Amino acid sequence: MFMTRLAVLLAGLALVAVPVQSRRPLLRDGPRATHQSKRSNDNVPSSTRSFKAMVSVGLPPMMIVQRACTGSSVVMRMARRLLTELGVSLYPLPTKEILRKDMPEKNPWFTQGGDLAEAMRRGVEEAQQASQTLLFGITQMSSTTDSVEQSNLNAALAALHTRSVIVHRNNTLDTAVCEVRDCFNSTRDAPRGYPVNERGEEDTSCFQRRHDSSVTTMAFLDTDDLLRNLELKEQYPKQTQESLIELGIGGHEIVFYEDLVSHEYSAGNLRKSTFAWLRLLSSLGIQAGWNEVMASLSQDVGTYHSPLNHSSTIFNVQEVAETLRNSSERIWMLRGEGRETF
């Protein structure tokens, strides 16, 4: 009996003596597959490890591919703020559009007689020497080009280990309306319509309407071309993704603009937006924590209203509604209540 009790006592002491391994908490506050907690970075590949461990040497350049009229200014502003709050030191660019072929002078490293590829190499080198990261935007990327300059730029972006993400406006009707109101992309082969005031008279404010609250600019949409127009826009993100993959540029996740900003007008959308931003960050090579991203986005809850009724932005809204009803998969795009479509 004594020996039996002694054996039990010794076994208990042995259990106490064994070091207890700390268990990582379950990630109940967010999808496990889309992020890592700050305690679980040990097994994360170095290419996607938390940026807090890498900022001392600077990160590869980050590129947000997003067309005009899809909320690019909003997304870039939020991305810069979020990355800064989380510890990334971003190079202070004068504009997000540093790769515009029609305006190369917007790139601070561009010199006359040079090209954007060389400008990007100099820019990344300068940023990384300062332990900073380049974050910039571009409206489109294509692997098929007859331009030697574009081919050189594509090769340079890949060689610089650029990370990318594609932000797309899921409601392409909003994009079409914005393009007409801003006088973008109205070409003969793909007519869009034309801008008018609330009386149906042609309006010439174009992009300046965004800076003049006294101007009411609406879109008169060409319904003969509308469905084709929307279809072409819907093909854009996949085509862009295929180009980025072919070019060897990392990331290339597709994230919807609406998901990134939905928390602004409803606290009930905070989790959806957090999930979207985690996907965007991951595509840029960053594995951030669910809680820290959600805490940052919480600052924006209630700062904007939900999308407005399309009758406030489309002059011939009844004609547009009839056209969309003939395409059952797109009628959902037409809203009855909500936010202005910038």
Coordinates of all heavy atoms in Angstrom, one line a residue, residues 10 24 51 78 80 116 125 143 185 187 202 243 250 266 272 274-275 300 323:
L10 N 5.0 10.3 -6.7 CA 6.1 10.6 -7.6 C 5.6 10.9 -9.0 O 6.2 11.8 -9.7 CB 7.1 9.4 -7.7 CG 7.9 9.1 -6.4 CD1 8.7 7.8 -6.5 CD2 8.8 10.3 -6.1
R24 N -1.5 28.7 -27.9 CA -2.0 29.9 -28.5 C -3.5 30.0 -28.4 O -4.2 28.9 -28.6 CB -1.6 29.9 -30.0 CG -0.1 30.0 -30.2 CD 0.2 30.2 -31.7 NE 1.7 30.3 -31.9 CZ 2.4 29.3 -32.4 NH1 1.9 28.2 -32.7 NH2 3.7 29.4 -32.6
F51 N 5.2 42.9 -40.7 CA 6.0 44.0 -41.2 C 6.8 44.7 -40.0 O 7.8 45.3 -40.2 CB 5.2 45.1 -41.9 CG 3.9 45.4 -41.2 CD1 3.9 46.3 -40.1 CD2 2.7 44.9 -41.7 CE1 2.8 46.6 -39.5 CE2 1.6 45.2 -41.0 CZ 1.6 46.1 -39.9
M78 N -7.0 55.5 -46.8 CA -7.2 54.6 -45.7 C -6.0 53.6 -45.6 O -5.6 53.3 -44.5 CB -8.5 53.8 -46.0 CG -9.7 54.7 -45.9 SD -11.3 53.8 -46.2 CE -11.3 52.7 -44.8
R80 N -2.8 54.1 -46.4 CA -1.7 54.8 -45.9 C -1.9 55.0 -44.4 O -0.9 54.8 -43.6 CB -1.5 56.2 -46.5 CG -1.0 56.1 -48.0 CD -0.6 57.5 -48.5 NE 0.6 57.9 -47.9 CZ 1.9 57.6 -48.4 NH1 2.0 56.9 -49.4 NH2 2.9 58.0 -47.7
L116 N 10.2 55.5 -66.9 CA 9.6 55.2 -65.6 C 10.3 54.0 -64.9 O 10.3 53.9 -63.7 CB 8.1 55.0 -65.8 CG 7.3 56.3 -66.0 CD1 5.9 56.0 -66.3 CD2 7.4 57.3 -64.8
E125 N 15.2 52.3 -54.3 CA 16.5 52.4 -53.6 C 16.5 53.5 -52.6 O 17.0 53.3 -51.4 CB 17.6 52.6 -54.6 CG 19.0 52.6 -54.0 CD 20.1 52.8 -55.1 OE1 19.7 53.1 -56.2 OE2 21.3 52.8 -54.7
S143 N 0.0 42.7 -69.5 CA 1.2 42.0 -69.9 C 1.4 42.0 -71.4 O 2.5 41.7 -71.9 CB 1.2 40.5 -69.4 OG 0.0 39.9 -69.9
N185 N -13.6 58.5 -70.1 CA -13.8 57.3 -71.0 C -15.0 57.4 -71.9 O -15.7 56.4 -72.1 CB -13.9 56.0 -70.1 CG -12.6 55.8 -69.4 OD1 -11.5 56.1 -69.9 ND2 -12.7 55.2 -68.2
T187 N -15.8 57.4 -75.3 CA -15.2 57.3 -76.7 C -16.2 56.8 -77.6 O -17.3 56.2 -77.3 CB -14.0 56.2 -76.6 OG1 -14.5 55.0 -76.1 CG2 -12.9 56.7 -75.6
E202 N -27.0 69.8 -70.7 CA -25.7 69.3 -70.7 C -24.8 70.2 -69.7 O -24.9 71.4 -69.7 CB -25.0 69.4 -72.1 CG -23.7 68.6 -72.1 CD -23.3 68.3 -73.6 OE1 -24.1 68.6 -74.5 OE2 -22.2 67.7 -73.7
S243 N -2.7 39.2 -65.9 CA -1.5 40.0 -66.4 C -0.5 40.0 -65.3 O 0.7 39.8 -65.5 CB -1.9 41.4 -66.8 OG -2.6 41.4 -68.0
G250 N 4.0 39.8 -57.5 CA 3.3 39.1 -56.4 C 2.0 39.7 -55.9 O 1.8 40.9 -56.1
S266 N -21.9 51.7 -41.3 CA -22.6 50.8 -40.4 C -21.7 50.0 -39.6 O -20.8 49.3 -40.1 CB -23.5 49.9 -41.2 OG -24.1 48.9 -40.4
K272 N -16.9 42.7 -41.9 CA -16.8 42.5 -43.3 C -15.6 43.4 -43.8 O -14.8 42.9 -44.6 CB -18.0 42.9 -44.0 CG -17.9 42.8 -45.6 CD -19.0 43.6 -46.3 CE -20.4 43.0 -46.1 NZ -21.4 43.6 -46.9
T274 N -13.1 44.6 -42.0 CA -11.8 44.0 -41.4 C -11.3 42.9 -42.3 O -10.1 42.8 -42.6 CB -12.0 43.6 -40.0 OG1 -12.5 44.7 -39.2 CG2 -10.8 43.1 -39.4
F275 N -12.2 42.0 -42.6 CA -11.8 40.8 -43.4 C -11.2 41.3 -44.8 O -10.2 40.8 -45.3 CB -13.0 39.9 -43.6 CG -12.8 38.7 -44.5 CD1 -12.0 37.7 -44.0 CD2 -13.3 38.6 -45.7 CE1 -11.7 36.6 -44.8 CE2 -13.1 37.5 -46.5 CZ -12.3 36.5 -46.0
D300 N -13.6 54.9 -38.0 CA -14.3 55.4 -39.2 C -15.8 55.1 -39.1 O -16.6 55.6 -40.0 CB -13.8 54.8 -40.5 CG -12.3 55.1 -40.6 OD1 -11.9 56.2 -40.2 OD2 -11.6 54.2 -41.1
T323 N -33.6 48.7 -68.8 CA -32.5 48.0 -69.4 C -31.9 46.9 -68.5 O -31.7 45.8 -68.9 CB -31.4 49.0 -69.8 OG1 -31.9 50.0 -70.7 CG2 -30.2 48.3 -70.5

